[in-house]
Amino acid sequence: MIPTRHGSERAPLAAALGCFAVAGVANVTVDHVAHTIGATGLAVGGVACLARYAQSVTRKRLAVTALGLWLSFLSVAVAHAVGLETVGSSLPGPARVTVVGLTAITWATLLAAAGTTIFLGFREYGASTPAEKPDEQVLDGETTDYSTR
């Protein structure tokens, strides 16, 4: 086994969140094809980072991450229900910065939550049926130690 630093599996998740956030903000204006192409490339890069993260953690950790991301997305969705401009004008500082920040967080959490859920589904689908105890498994053509007479 290759030793890894504790917490080193978080770097791909952070990179994926960053890619998704930038892609979400870049794709706000659909007037420019270059922005859309760049945002799509960033989203694909985010999925690749998310896949690397999903491979490096256990199923339980991936499930907890997916749940946390969904809860984060739902909490940010409240700001959308109120209105991003309303939230931006009620907080100190430029409203536009708040709107862009909330948009980035929304896209990052939504895409990462969906991606981790999909990767968790693939992992669960690929998992074998509940494992039997090793002493209960008999391969084809293999005889047991016990006589069948």
Side-chain angles (χ1 to χ4, degrees):
M1 179 194 302
I2 299 173
T4 58
R5 279 188 334 199
H6 178 67
S8 64
E9 71 274 354
R10 290 186 225 149
L13 179 61
L17 287 170
C19 287
F20 291 148
V22 173
V25 171
N27 203 27
V28 170
T29 61
V30 292
D31 296 341
H32 303 321
V33 174
H35 286 197
T36 303
I37 292 171
T40 303
L42 280 170
V44 169
V47 170
C49 291
L50 203 57
R52 177 172 241 144
Y53 171 76
Q55 289 176 340
S56 68
V57 296
T58 63
R59 285 191 295 186
K60 181 179 178 181
R61 183 64 162 160
L62 189 59
V64 168
T65 301
L67 180 62
L69 287 167
W70 279 116
L71 291 175
S72 299
F73 169 71
L74 290 175
S75 66
V76 174
V78 171
H80 286 271
V82 173
L84 294 181
E85 290 78 18
T86 305
V87 173
S89 64
S90 67
L91 295 174
R96 184 71 184 141
V97 172
T98 303
V99 169
V100 169
L102 287 172
T103 301
I105 292 169
T106 301
W107 280 104
T109 55
L110 174 63
L111 293 175
T116 53
T117 303
I118 290 169
F119 285 125
L120 180 63
F122 285 153
R123 188 178 278 186
E124 289 296 322
Y125 179 74
S128 61
T129 57
E132 298 174 350
K133 294 180 183 174
D135 58 348
E136 294 177 3
Q137 293 177 346
V138 178
L139 301 175
D140 291 335
E142 181 178 318
T143 59
T144 63
D145 294 335
Y146 304 106
S147 174
T148 54
R149 290 188 228 171

